[in-house]
Amino acid sequence: MGRAPCCSKVGLHRGPWTPREDMLLVKYIQAHGEGHWRSLPKKAGLLRCGKSCRLRWMNYLRPDIKRGNITPDEEDLIIRLHSLLGNRWSLIAGRLPGRTDNEIKNYWNTHLSKRLLSQGTDPNTHKKLPPDNPVVVLVPKKKRKKSNKRPNKSKKPTDHEKPKIHLPKPIRFTSSVQCTTKSSSQGGENGQVLVPWSEYINDDENRTGFLCYNDDHDLINNSDFECQSHHHHDHDHIYEEYLQLLKTNEDQVQLDSFAESLLI
DNA sequence: AAATTTCTCAACCGCACTTCT
DNA sequence: GAGAAGTGCGGTTGAGAAATT
């Protein structure tokens, strides 16, 4: 069929986002809302592909993103949800308010899967491995050569590869979000500067969160922010429900039906 | 102190699904 | 109904930081 690529790559910026690009994207989305990612970069004055803009917004700039360390409770929840759902990162992320699928995926790959292995548990099946004969071997990291070039990744499925079957898409818990800072003053630590959304952008939703910059005007993560959704009670309710489910240890049956309910 | 290796995570890619025309 | 456009997901990469030699 020959679909056109999502955007012409010619002349577009790639790699890490600059504070200026972040600002343009945030301002545009505040003014016009999310969506229309393909046309957004042009309208926002960004030399980026729409996908890149969407990813940057979803994984980094959204004001309701909670950053900072994953708590032990969250870890436990991720492990249990992963045992139910597998690598359905967006679905798992939907159950951890403020966490992104990318963050959870990274955390799983770098921390949790290794920990499970070291505890003698197969991170794929969540079953105990035979003590003297572990079948699952961590795929050794490929030696990476420092190179400016990206490899040519024209991956085509081979005859040997199984076709992927896509399950129904997860429901996202989206909401308009209010953020408040935990800091009593508006000065961050280490010379960071917290800029209220309302000053940074024209915010007609009376958002009360902050963007955090360092001295170089680099956007810093908003880990110290406590984010609250307008529907926070819904999130709380769902989260509590999960924790409750996870605490009970007759849980497998319950969790199975719960997992099924997620897939509806 | 320098070189090398390992780790982390933001960003990219390809593909499938959904919506639009 | 067909094809194009838009969107979202999971897998993977690689630059930079941190740790080790």
Side-chain angles (χ1 to χ4, degrees), chain A residues 4-69:
Chain A
C6 76
C7 51
S8 162
K9 309 283 182 196
V10 181
L12 294 182
H13 288 175
R14 297 178 58 183
W17 280 63
T18 65
R20 180 183 142 74
E21 287 177 312
D22 283 342
M23 187 179 70
L24 286 171
L25 181 57
V26 169
K27 278 189 174 179
Y28 183 87
I29 290 176
Q30 280 307 306
H32 301 96
E34 292 180 35
H36 307 289
W37 296 108
R38 188 181 282 244
S39 59
L40 183 150
K42 197 174 179 182
K43 292 178 183 170
L46 286 159
L47 285 168
R48 289 273 179 178
C49 132
K51 263 186 159 179
S52 180
C53 294
R54 177 186 162 273
L55 203 70
R56 183 66 177 171
W57 174 255
M58 293 296 197
N59 287 336
Y60 201 82
L61 295 174
R62 261 171 35 201
D64 54 333
I65 286 175
K66 181 164 77 181
R67 292 198 169 268
N69 294 339

Side-chain angles (χ1 to χ4, degrees), chain A residues 169-257:
Chain A
K169 290 195 175 185
I171 298 161
R172 276 188 178 276
F173 288 88
T174 56
S175 60
S176 51
V177 174
Q178 269 195 325
C179 284
T180 54
T181 178
K182 285 177 180 170
S183 315
S184 55
S185 74
Q186 291 186 9
E189 292 170 303
N190 306 323
Q192 296 159 6
V193 178
L194 302 180
V195 181
W197 275 86
S198 55
E199 286 183 17
Y200 188 62
I201 43 165
N202 180 16
D203 190 346
D204 46 33
E205 288 184 28
N206 280 330
R207 213 178 293 268
T208 54
F210 295 81
L211 289 173
C212 185
Y213 285 86
N214 63 16
D215 292 340
D216 298 329
H217 304 286
D218 288 333
L219 190 61
I220 298 171
N221 75 53
N222 44 359
S223 57
D224 289 337
F225 303 150
E226 185 175 64
C227 294
Q228 296 171 334
S229 153
H230 289 311
H231 306 301
H232 199 205
H233 291 304
D234 293 345
H235 281 174
D236 274 352
H237 175 74
I238 291 160
Y239 194 58
E240 287 304 317
E241 195 178 306
Y242 274 85
L243 289 179
Q244 202 58 47
L245 271 173
L246 296 174
K247 275 174 194 160
T248 60
N249 243 347
E250 63 206 78
D251 49 50
Q252 202 47 55
V253 174
Q254 260 184 303
L255 287 171
D256 284 350
S257 60

Side-chain angles (χ1 to χ4, degrees), chain A residues 125-141:
Chain A
T125 63
H126 293 260
K127 290 179 180 163
K128 283 283 171 194
L129 293 166
D132 54 340
N133 185 25
V135 262
V136 174
V137 179
L138 268 184
V139 179
K141 287 209 157 192

